[in-house]
Amino acid sequence: MSSREQLEQYTGEVEAVIERYLPRKAGYQRTVLEAMNYSMKAGGKRLRPLFMREVYRLFAGGPEGGGEAAVEPFMAAIEMIHTFSLVHDDLPCMDNDTLRRGMDTTWVKYGYDMAVLAGDALAIYAFETAAKAFSVSDRPDLVGQCMGLLAEKSGISGMIGGQTADVELTGKEVSPEKLDFIYRLKTGALLEVSMMIGAILGGADREQVKAVEKMASCVGTAFQIQDDILDVVGDARVIGKPVLSDEKNEKTTYVTLYGMEAARKAVMELSKEAEEILESLPGDHEFLSCLIDILITRVK
């Protein structure tokens, strides 16, 4: 089986896990539940839960290592948090986007008010979902540690902190230090916590978890820079969202700050650093290495 065939198979497996944790559409709050599920089912690469599971397998001894039941609630939870951030990013008060993955954005489909509520609900439901790991794990201390990390990396010290700086600096001059801060928190934080949770639940020690965090940080920054590149040279029909949206929203990106050639070089250097860290970790690295490469060199 080729790496891309394996990726397709594994993505399907991750989709099935997420599907099991989606809320049932019933009751007087049915509309917000429909909006939540619409947002969650809008497609996507499911990279964060996939990275979480594969890093878990790296330390737990592969698919045969057992214990994945405790990882699965976190796999669904991280995708809920990621999706909530996209729902809010697309709002008229933020990026004002009408297309996401080739579909109407949530606010276009359900209205501004319901999109706000759907994003809020996904953020909270993510922790309700993650808490289900307590009932299937024999290490509640590790589950608690992972829930704390999930809150930290998605909140004011992570993704939302990065989004705050991004919003406040729109249309203003942005220094390299501030741009790095935004990329590390807004994009990198969720990839970091995805891989860290996988490592912790898989039995990694403190130093290994730190190495995984650094690897994920490299991948996250490279991913965002590649996103900047695609916003300039990508095809909206391929990437599933409008191009030149950063220019429209007057946002400084790695491309506008350093130029296209430097951006492409940075992606390759960060990719190499991530690969070197991966090679220092135990277990079978082959699929994770291919996944990092596919992620960073993607065209959509």
Side-chain angles (χ1 to χ4, degrees):
M1 184 186 298
S2 71
S3 296
R4 289 195 177 271
E5 288 173 333
Q6 193 174 12
L7 174 60
E8 187 175 334
Q9 176 189 324
Y10 284 6
T11 302
E13 293 171 0
V14 169
E15 285 280 5
V17 169
I18 292 169
E19 180 77 26
R20 291 202 300 272
Y21 288 96
L22 294 182
R24 187 170 61 89
K25 295 177 286 186
Y28 290 120
Q29 73 272 46
R30 182 183 179 91
T31 303
V32 77
L33 295 166
E34 288 180 355
M36 291 165 68
N37 287 354
Y38 172 84
S39 306
M40 287 291 294
K41 293 179 179 180
K45 305 171 188 68
R46 308 304 193 197
L47 293 168
R48 291 153 192 83
L50 184 54
F51 268 118
M52 184 184 293
R53 190 185 74 169
E54 294 310 305
V55 171
Y56 171 85
R57 288 179 171 181
L58 196 69
F59 290 98
E64 298 78 21
E68 285 190 14
V71 180
E72 290 181 351
F74 283 101
M75 290 168 61
I78 195 67
E79 196 66 9
M80 290 171 189
I81 290 173
H82 173 57
T83 301
F84 119 70
S85 76
L86 299 181
V87 170
H88 282 185
D89 271 352
D90 291 334
L91 291 172
C93 64
M94 299 280 277
D95 291 345
N96 195 25
D97 281 331
T98 60
L99 194 66
R100 168 73 63 179
R101 297 164 181 159
M103 298 170 60
D104 287 342
T105 50
T106 306
W107 76 267
V108 171
K109 178 79 172 177
Y110 289 94
Y112 197 149
D113 51 0
M114 205 53 61
V116 171
L117 290 171
D120 292 345
L122 281 168
I124 296 168
Y125 194 65
F127 286 92
E128 182 180 336
T129 300
K132 296 180 188 297
F134 281 115
S135 65
V136 293
S137 173
D138 58 359
R139 291 294 307 273
D141 56 324
L142 297 184
V143 173
Q145 181 184 348
C146 289
M147 289 193 71
L149 271 174
L150 187 62
E152 176 188 339
K153 293 286 190 178
S154 59
I156 55 174
S157 298
M159 179 187 69
I160 290 176
Q163 287 178 315
T164 300
D166 190 29
V167 168
E168 288 186 334
L169 292 170
T170 296
K172 300 177 183 177
E173 185 175 343
V174 179
S175 69
E177 292 77 19
K178 288 180 180 177
L179 188 66
D180 179 64
F181 174 87
I182 291 169
Y183 282 14
R184 281 190 299 107
L185 271 65
K186 183 181 176 181
T187 303
L190 288 193
L191 277 168
E192 288 170 16
V193 76
S194 299
M195 297 195 211
M196 291 170 76
I197 287 173
I200 290 166
L201 295 179
D205 63 32
R206 188 184 300 271
E207 290 305 310
Q208 288 170 330
V209 173
K210 285 183 179 178
V212 166
E213 182 178 24
K214 177 60 178 174
M215 176 179 70
S217 178
C218 291
V219 172
T221 303
F223 178 88
Q224 183 58 57
I225 296 172
Q226 182 68 8
D227 208 53
D228 294 345
I229 292 169
L230 291 176
D231 189 69
V232 176
V233 302
D235 184 334
R237 293 169 299 179
V238 175
I239 63 178
K241 60 181 180 179
V243 296
L244 300 177
S245 62
D246 292 327
E247 180 180 320
K248 178 191 73 174
N249 293 316
E250 300 181 77
K251 286 190 175 181
T252 299
T253 70
Y254 204 94
V255 173
T256 61
L257 199 61
Y258 297 106
M260 184 65 72
E261 184 178 347
R264 294 187 191 279
K265 182 179 179 182
V267 168
M268 292 301 102
E269 289 176 348
L270 287 162
S271 176
K272 181 180 178 183
E273 185 175 356
E275 291 283 359
E276 288 173 351
I277 295 171
L278 179 60
E279 287 299 317
S280 72
L281 299 175
D284 182 357
H285 312 128
E286 184 177 0
F287 178 69
L288 263 173
S289 178
C290 291
L291 184 58
I292 290 171
D293 183 62
I294 289 168
L295 168 66
I296 292 176
T297 62
R298 74 195 192 283
V299 296
K300 61 180 180 177

